Each structure stands twice: as structure tokens, then as C-alpha cells.
Amino acid sequence: MLNIHDLSISFQGEALFEGITFMLTPGTRVGLVGKNGAGKSTLLRIISGEQEYDRGSIATDKEISIGFLKQDIDFTKGRTVLEEAYEAFSELKKLEAQLEDINEQLANRTDYESEVYHQLMVDLNEVQHRYEIHGGYNYQGETERILQGLGFQRSEFNKVTETFSGGWRMRIELAKLLLQNNDILLLDEPTNHLDIESILWLEDFLKNYPGAVMLVSHDKMFLDNVTNRTIEISLGKIYDYPKPYSQYLKLRAELREQQLATQKNQQKQIEHTEKLIEKFRAKATKASMAQSLIKKLDKIERVEVDEDDNAVMSLRFPVSVTPGKVVIMAENASKSYGEKEVLKDVNLRIDRDSKIAFVGQNGQGKSTLARMIVQEIEYGGKIELGHNVEIGYFAQNQADYLDGDKTVEETMIDAANEKNRPRVRDILGAFLFRGEEVDKYVRVLSGGERNRLALAKLLLQPFNVLVMDEPTNHLDIKSKNVLKEALNNFQGTLILVSHDRDFLQGLSNKVYEFKDKHIKEYLGDIDYFLEQRNLQNLREAERRTKAEKEKTIVVSSGKKSYEEQKKVKSLQNKLSKVESAIGKLEKEIKEIDVELAINYEVTIANPDFFDSYQRKKEKLEELMGQWEVITAEIEANE
């Protein structure tokens, strides 16, 4: 379908990647990963034909169509949501115009027996046939189905696109792309502005997509659920494995460990040979043997260990003055957008040094309350800030506030004061903007680089209360981990809006769930909240919320029968045994890993070493599968 060979590109004399080679075939769903600035978006632009490259070739089958979802979207003003979505059907729109023209001519003519009239009838029949073949009588219903799947209400179909936020406009562009039935889909961070329901819908859509998909995402769960192959760009090279992201990470780590062990063993052999050469070289009778060893040494193919790009930003949020005990107090706070009431009579008290997580479906008011707290929007009721409270705010669309016509350094200097202006270069360096990168214009930065710049700007003003609304959007996985560590070390009050369980773990000591215009408090971390709701993850929380609205809950008054109780007990015993076996196997595998790292020669003494090692890993995978099945059965019976 698509074949890329020896592809290379450089910017300002510095190679972004070199000699990249891979193929895309129907049914392949590739997760394209790597740190911010590694070249992921550039590669997508090259494949789509939007950007030139320095060397290499791209070959495709004839008449291959490629759809590309970019991070930056431009719409024609004045079009409604439906009209913009219909732009996906350019061929059908041309046919509709032809049909309208032919019908208008037929309506105005009376020479029914003429050759011209007859030709118009022939043309009408031909165009109608083409219109039907291209799905002209179905595309409007399909458009509405996909728009609703991505979260749009029917009442919003006829609103003009400029009344929607950047995130919602991105959904319209995604809808257009999905409607085109392209052979290859290129998606650059498609989940950044989607709520959980829309992400789940998109996952199902992509899993059943017949063509090839290549997507950039930093959402580990989305990558694992959708992709069947991972390509990582790192230090100008690619690492290509036919596995989803989490499995790829394990395979790559195992491969690197094996390379390191093999390299260590080879180095010992080389050092031993070099000592023999030195020993024999001094003796005339052994000179020929020394020469033989030298030739043997030259022929050895040195084991190379895959390089790993461990460069990450350095982040530490400084705290300004110490505030009073109560930092935020809300009384009967309410907010409506026109006739739509989002929050009603919310009462909230946040004490100094609290670590708060706001969770819940999109549209339930999490970001709205954050904006109310920082006084960005008007609202009803009362929200008061405590004594000496200084707020730092990272908005969900923070990167949109950056001026594209300024350079990275100019952006920082304009936001700095006299005291910290001399430190601008140091701060940018800590956020991986080094050397000539500070002279880049903001408009050419990737989404992740823009987010890093917005985080760097945040450090220029003192604060003791930090409000962050979806700060991980566009950040690569390593940068997300750095941000999490910085938030863990932050000594002030933290309010964090997110739907990412991995990111939230360990960051909060109190959770507020937003639902049906109100908030509910949980005095614990995100795991405690999920435990109280009897959930596995935040996706399930949102899925259940939707299900509860769509069905009538039937409450059973009777207790479980004896047989039901017995079945649950049996399953729990089985689960306990499987968990015990998993723990034992994991311990054995860990001990082998340690032994392998310390003494690789153990594999030479035991030829069956790797076979035994692999069998243990396969057995562990089998037990994990049994654990999932039994757990699901217990949940179903309970």
C-alpha cells in the first residue's frame, strides 16, 4: 500500500531523522511515538505530501487516498457544523451541482422531442447513477451518525463552526476525515480534545477500519486499545515492533538488556584477546600467533546497544508567600451558558496545601469551575480567595494564547519581570529549548513544544495555588512523568483537572466528582475514589454515568441464592490461587533477570536457559489472561 525507503530530513543542517524505512499495509494500525520534537508530526506531513524531504523515496499503490488530521485547523467562516462536515464529500457535492443544473434546464425547456432534450435526459440518468454509486443517498445520515459519535448534539448541527472551541472544531475535522473512507489515515493526537465517550467510540471505529492507520498519541491506554504495531522515533532512528505500545516497551527493554549483556560478554572476550596479543607480541616465536589474533579481533562484529533518548525537561514549581489556612471558599456558585445550566449551588472549601483532583465527564463543569476560581468568567454565587493567595493557572488551551509571530525567547522575555528576565535562557534550557531552538517561531513548534513553552512561562510569576486544566495534552510520555514528579514536589495548593488515572495516581488527597450540575467529595486519592465507585478506571466511570442515564435501574430486594453465593466463593478461591501463582512466577522471572544482568555466561553453561525463561514468561501471560477472565466473571455475578 505504502512503502517508505531510506527517508531522511534535516532542518538548518541538523538531521531530524535519517534512513527511515518501513511499509504500511491494509489493517495495520501504527502507534507513532517519541519525545516532543523527535519528528512525529513531520513524518506524518511528509507521508501526506504536505512537506518535502531531503533523501529517500515514498512509493504507493495507484489511486491511494490519504487523510491527514493535523493539530492546527482552519475553517471557512460562516459554515455550519453540517455544512463543514459535508465538505468531506467533494465529489458528491460536484454531482449534486450537476444534477441541479440539469434539472433546472429540463424544467425550463419545452422542446421535448429535440436531440438536446434527449441528451439532457441521458446526462441526468448517468449523473444520478454515479451519485448513487458514491453513496449520495446515504451520506447525510452517515455524517450525522459520526458527528453524534464524536459528541455533537443534533441541536448543534446548524450552529456555525466559529462558535465552537478549538477542540470541537478539531472534532468536525476528524468527522470529515472519517467520512472520506481513505485508504490511509494519519492522525496527529486525535484524543487531545475528546471526552471519554468519544475516545471509546473512536477506538471502536479505528479497530474496525479496513485501511491503514498511523497515529500520534501520548495516551497509553488508547494506543494499547487501538494499535497493533509501534514505531518509535528516537535520536533520528526508528524502532519498529508488531506490538501495541505497552508490549513494545517490554520487548524493547528486554532487547536492550540482552544487547547490554551480550556486549559485556563480548567486551570481556576482546579484553582477553588484547592481553594475549600484548603478551605474544614481545616474543619472536609467538609473533605469528599475535598477528593471527589481531586479524581475528578486526573481524569481530561489535555488538551495538540501541541508544535511548533520555533527555527530559527539568521542572520545579517555586512557592511564593504562605497563604492563609483557607485558600478558596465557594458558596452557592452557579454557572449557565445561555439556557444550559452547568453548575448549580456548588459549595466548596479548599484549605492550604490541599491536593485536589476534579474528575467527571466532559461538559460536567470541571474546567468551568477552574475558570470561575481564577476569575476568568462571570458566574452566580460567591467565590472568595483567602489571605495572600496567588494563583498560577494553566488552561486546557494554554498553548492557544501564545503568539505565533514571536520567537520562543521573545515569548518568555515579554512575560518576565526585571528580576527573572536574566534567567529566561536558563529556564528555556531546562525545558529543552537550547541553542538555536530559542529563535524558533512559536507557529512552527509542535503541540508538545508549545505546551512546554506554556509551562515555562508559568514559572515566571510567583504563586502558592496552582490550578491546572488537562496539563498533559500534547506532552510526550516522558514529559508527563517529569510534570507529575514536579507536581508531587510542589509545596503549595494544587487543583488538577484530568481524566488520566495514571497521571493522577499519587497526586491528590481529595477528589471531587462532577455530575449532574453538582460536585461530590471523596476524602482520598484517585484510587480511593475508584474503589468507592467500584471502578477500574476513569473511562469506566464515564461509561457508567452514561449508562445510568439511559436505563432504568431495577433494584433487587432479595439476597443472592445459595448457589449464586457458592459460585462467587468458588471464583474467588480460583482467583486467589491464580494471583498466588502470578506472584511466584513474577518473583522467579525477576531473579532470572538479575542473574542475567550480573552474569551472562550462565546462558552458555545452560543451553536451555532462554527456552526455560521464555516458557515462564508465556505461562505468566497465560495466568494474567485467566486472572482477567475470572475477575470479569466475579464482577458479573456480583
Side-chain angles (χ1 to χ4, degrees), residues 62-77:
K62 287 183 179 180
E63 298 181 0
I64 284 288
S65 59
I66 299 176
F68 181 26
L69 178 73
K70 295 173 280 191
Q71 290 182 14
D72 300 314
I73 297 161
D74 242 349
F75 283 160
T76 302
K77 287 188 176 181

Side-chain angles (χ1 to χ4, degrees), residues 19 62-63 78 117 263 270 278 304 417 484 494 596-597:
K62 287 183 179 180
E63 298 181 0
Y117 194 90
Q263 187 188 58
I270 290 170
E278 288 301 314
E304 291 187 4
N417 54 39
K484 181 173 180 177
L494 176 64
L596 188 61

Side-chain angles (χ1 to χ4, degrees), residues 142-197:
E142 182 68 4
T143 300
E144 292 183 14
R145 182 183 74 82
I146 285 185
L147 284 172
Q148 286 180 307
L150 290 172
F152 287 95
Q153 304 295 321
R154 282 187 173 275
S155 58
E156 297 172 320
F157 286 175
N158 293 314
K159 290 183 179 178
V160 291
T161 57
E162 53 262 36
T163 62
F164 291 87
S165 67
W168 284 97
R169 288 200 296 274
M170 192 279 292
R171 294 188 193 208
I172 299 170
E173 187 68 16
L174 180 56
K176 287 162 60 178
L177 204 60
L178 300 182
L179 286 162
Q180 288 170 351
N181 293 321
N182 292 291
D183 300 294
I184 299 174
L185 271 184
L186 306 174
L187 307 176
D188 198 352
E189 302 197 40
T191 63
N192 267 353
H193 300 286
L194 298 183
D195 59 23
I196 297 296
E197 288 304 323

Side-chain angles (χ1 to χ4, degrees), residues 56-114:
S57 62
I58 300 178
T60 62
D61 294 344
K62 287 183 179 180
E63 298 181 0
I64 284 288
S65 59
I66 299 176
F68 181 26
L69 178 73
K70 295 173 280 191
Q71 290 182 14
D72 300 314
I73 297 161
D74 242 349
F75 283 160
T76 302
K77 287 188 176 181
R79 283 184 188 151
T80 65
V81 172
L82 268 182
E83 287 169 344
E84 187 62 50
Y86 289 158
E87 289 298 305
F89 304 99
S90 54
E91 183 65 28
L92 283 174
K93 302 301 282 184
K94 288 178 187 175
L95 292 173
E96 282 181 345
Q98 289 179 34
L99 285 173
E100 188 177 345
D101 180 55
I102 293 170
N103 281 317
E104 189 176 338
Q105 289 186 57
L106 288 171
N108 293 330
R109 299 185 76 97
T110 54
D111 52 341
Y112 307 121
E113 303 299 326
S114 70

Side-chain angles (χ1 to χ4, degrees), residues 343-356:
L343 295 171
K344 182 179 180 181
D345 296 331
V346 169
N347 294 299
L348 175 70
R349 168 178 162 157
I350 297 177
D351 291 335
R352 181 180 60 228
D353 298 336
S354 296
K355 309 295 181 188
I356 309 289

Side-chain angles (χ1 to χ4, degrees), residues 224-274:
D224 285 341
N225 288 344
V226 171
T227 63
N228 53 23
R229 178 177 169 192
T230 300
I231 294 178
E232 180 181 10
I233 303 178
S234 177
L235 299 171
K237 297 179 180 179
I238 65 166
Y239 300 89
D240 189 351
Y241 285 77
K243 296 288 182 182
Y245 182 69
S246 292
Q247 293 181 44
Y248 156 74
L249 285 180
K250 291 177 184 176
L251 282 172
R252 173 130 190 244
E254 287 172 9
L255 174 64
R256 203 162 186 277
E257 283 177 16
Q258 289 173 13
Q259 288 174 338
L260 282 167
T262 307
Q263 187 188 58
K264 184 179 177 182
N265 192 46
Q266 186 187 63
Q267 193 58 37
K268 284 181 181 178
Q269 293 177 350
I270 290 170
E271 288 171 2
H272 178 66
T273 305
E274 286 173 342

